[in-house]
């Protein structure tokens, strides 16, 4: 076995997944970016305190829900309202966007 092609393949299999994950920010990273943009221009302790307040004001439950959990909740709400057809489609669309 030639070591150079083997090492190149090994390196590519390690680097490609890392590059794919780097492009998608996590929910926490998105909240940090939103709060940072909101508090732009502040410095020192004022910035730290504003960041702390902003990050703690984001509801943790909303960030922790998966698409499947949102679909289940919206589907149950639509069933409780006895919606069918276009009314149900419209309700589900708006419900999934807000959750």
């Amino acid at each position: 076995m030639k070591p150079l092609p083997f090492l190149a393949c090994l390196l590519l299999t390690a680097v490609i997944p890392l590059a794919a994950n780097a492009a998608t920010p996590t929910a926490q990273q998105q909240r940090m970016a939103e709060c940072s943009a909101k508090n732009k221009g502040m410095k020192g302790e004022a910035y730290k305190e504003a960041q702390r307040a902003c990050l703690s004001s984001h509801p943790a439950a909303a960030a922790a829900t998966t698409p499947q959990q949102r679909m289940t909740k919206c589907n149950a709400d639509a069933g409780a309202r006895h919606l069918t057809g276009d009314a149900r489609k419209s309700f589900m669309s708006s419900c999934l966007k807000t959750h």
Side-chain angles (χ1 to χ4, degrees):
M1 178 184 341
K2 295 183 180 182
L4 188 57
F6 175 73
L7 290 175
C9 289
L10 186 61
L11 180 63
L12 284 176
T13 58
V15 171
I16 290 173
L18 292 176
N21 288 340
T24 308
T26 65
Q28 177 66 19
Q29 289 170 328
Q30 289 174 339
R31 286 194 305 268
M32 291 284 288
E34 290 169 6
C35 290
S36 183
K38 180 181 173 186
N39 299 318
K40 191 172 183 168
M42 294 182 167
K43 294 184 180 181
E45 283 300 314
Y47 176 80
K48 288 180 186 178
E49 186 58 38
Q51 282 290 96
R52 191 175 300 118
C54 181
L55 290 170
S56 66
S57 69
H58 283 84
T65 60
T66 65
Q68 185 175 5
Q69 290 170 328
R70 290 191 301 270
M71 179 65 97
T72 302
K73 170 86 170 92
C74 292
N75 199 20
D77 291 347
R81 295 178 184 199
H82 304 291
L83 297 174
T84 59
D86 288 339
R88 185 182 185 92
K89 278 174 88 173
S90 176
F91 172 79
M92 290 294 289
S93 177
S94 65
C95 180
L96 292 170
K97 288 178 185 174
T98 60
H99 289 338

